[in-house]
């Protein structure tokens, strides 16, 4: 969520009645991102310079809601990028006189938001950069098999089965 506020104005309002950066309940709005295209492009360039390149960026449902997908990276590097993104997203927007927050739900009147992970598994010596640019599923993805049930490979079926089997343990990490 991005608000047309500063840390000071939010405190003065006791964090109530905050003004969202953009109006409306429109996801994937070309209008909402085009109106502020200069800020959004500058933000994407800023992220690229900090090695946390954005591969997807758009509005989501709810006033002031933006979603950014950080380019794929191996385990620890990907986690580091996520932490840097969260911190420096706040720095960038505050320098613009705006206030971003990563709260899951700031108001009972609007939809909640969340952070989530996308996982990839590639075959052979394909680099992550090549795999992330591949676009549509291909033979590079260990999760894709055009002959498999719902185009899932045996590896993907096993991966999903493991997630289901250990969901209780996984929830400790992703939904404390």
């Amino acid at each position: 969520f991005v608000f047309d506020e500063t840390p000071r104005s939010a405190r003065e309002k006791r964090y109530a009645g905050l003004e969202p950066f953009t109006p409306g309940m429109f996801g994937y709005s070309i209008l909402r991102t085009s109106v502020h295209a200069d800020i959004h492009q500058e933000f994407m360039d800023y992220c690229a310079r900090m090695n946390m390149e954005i591969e997807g960026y758009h509005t989501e449902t709810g006033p002031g809601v933006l979603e950014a997908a950080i380019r794929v990276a191996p385990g620890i590097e990907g986690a580091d990028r996520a932490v840097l993104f969260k911190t420096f997203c706040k720095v960038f927007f505050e320098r613009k006189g705006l206030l971003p927050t990563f709260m899951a739900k700031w108001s009972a009147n609007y939809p909640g938001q969340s952070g989530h992970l996308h996982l990839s598994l590639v075959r052979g010596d394909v680099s992550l950069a090549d795999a992330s640019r591949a676009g549509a599923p291909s033979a590079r993805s260990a999760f894709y098999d055009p002959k498999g049930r719902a185009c899932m490979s045996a590896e993907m079926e096993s991966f999903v089965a493991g997630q289901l089997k250990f969901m209780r343990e996984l929830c400790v990490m992703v939904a404390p």
Side-chain angles (χ1 to χ4, degrees):
F1 295 100
V2 180
F3 295 98
D4 195 4
E5 302 282 351
T6 65
R8 178 171 299 198
S9 70
R11 273 192 306 275
E12 288 169 355
K13 291 180 172 184
R14 296 178 167 251
Y15 304 97
L18 302 179
E19 185 67 34
F21 178 50
T22 57
M25 299 291 286
F26 312 105
Y28 300 93
S29 171
I30 293 172
L31 178 62
R32 284 174 50 191
T33 49
S34 296
V35 167
H36 301 286
D38 54 334
I39 290 174
H40 296 307
Q41 186 60 58
E42 188 179 343
F43 177 64
M44 291 176 61
D45 293 343
Y46 170 85
C47 289
R49 286 191 308 273
M50 294 190 69
N51 193 32
M52 50 185 194
E53 188 176 357
I54 304 298
E55 65 180 26
Y57 183 74
H58 58 86
T59 63
E60 263 292 355
T61 304
V65 180
L66 296 170
E67 180 179 54
I70 303 166
R71 185 167 300 282
V72 66
I76 294 298
E77 182 182 346
D80 288 346
R81 288 180 184 184
V83 169
L84 287 172
F85 176 82
K86 187 173 178 181
T87 300
F88 286 96
C89 175
K90 292 176 183 180
V91 169
F92 176 88
F93 283 104
E94 283 188 32
R95 286 180 175 172
K96 301 293 180 192
L98 301 167
L99 181 64
T101 180
F102 289 85
M103 290 189 307
K105 190 163 179 76
W106 69 278
S107 168
N109 299 324
Y110 298 109
Q113 303 299 323
S114 67
H116 53 269
L117 302 173
H118 294 246
L119 302 171
S120 301
L121 182 64
V122 293
R123 295 186 188 284
D125 60 354
V126 175
S127 76
L128 283 171
D130 290 341
S132 72
R133 289 185 184 88
S138 70
R140 298 176 189 190
S141 171
F143 288 158
Y144 178 70
D145 180 352
K147 296 177 183 155
R149 180 174 45 160
C151 295
M152 290 189 297
S153 68
E155 291 90 343
M156 182 171 181
E157 288 198 32
S158 179
F159 176 81
V160 171
Q163 286 186 315
L164 292 173
K165 179 176 180 179
F166 295 106
M167 187 55 63
R168 181 183 304 258
E169 291 84 353
L170 287 169
C171 281
V172 169
M173 293 185 296
V174 298

